[in-house]
Amino acid sequence: MMAEPNRYGMEPIFGTQTNFENYQFSRLLAVRSAELKAEPRLIVLGYDNFRDQHQRAHELLNKLEIPHIYVDGPRRKHIWGSGWIEDSVAQLVKPHSPAP
């Protein structure tokens, strides 16, 4: 949900704002929303320091009427071994209705 590549060492990766916008999640969702409306294909779950980003992504997905899976928590460390992988796989294999 970032609007510019100004954190987390992103600057040298994206180079310019224009190049960043080619990959910007919120812009891509808006541009490709029609292609994403058939069934839930995106999952937003858990958080650490990025809860506001997850909440904003969920709100945008709802606004664009893109079905998705949203699970607000549990709060987990932003590291591989914190348990988020197991939760993600469980969400992938279980039947879902789109998030409200």
Side-chain angles (χ1 to χ4, degrees):
M1 295 304 293
M2 295 181 68
E4 53 190 66
N6 61 353
R7 298 172 81 180
Y8 314 114
M10 296 168 61
E11 297 92 338
I13 295 167
F14 291 103
T16 66
Q17 179 67 29
T18 301
N19 187 52
F20 171 76
E21 289 169 5
N22 291 324
Y23 303 92
Q24 185 180 7
F25 183 68
S26 56
R27 190 189 74 75
L28 290 172
L29 287 176
V31 170
R32 311 280 301 265
S33 65
E35 299 168 52
L36 298 169
K37 292 189 180 200
E39 61 185 328
R41 295 174 50 190
L42 302 171
I43 299 174
V44 181
L45 69 137
Y47 60 88
D48 185 20
N49 297 329
F50 305 102
R51 187 176 193 194
D52 64 320
Q53 301 282 332
H54 288 204
Q55 290 170 330
R56 289 178 32 222
H58 172 60
E59 291 167 8
L60 178 60
L61 289 161
N62 281 340
K63 178 182 174 186
L64 296 171
E65 299 178 345
I66 297 173
H68 62 285
I69 308 309
Y70 177 67
V71 181
D72 185 29
R75 182 176 185 161
R76 296 186 190 264
K77 292 285 181 193
H78 189 67
I79 57 174
W80 287 107
S82 67
W84 71 268
I85 294 173
E86 293 85 352
D87 284 352
S88 299
V89 171
Q91 292 295 330
L92 286 170
V93 298
K94 82 179 200 182
H96 286 285
S97 298

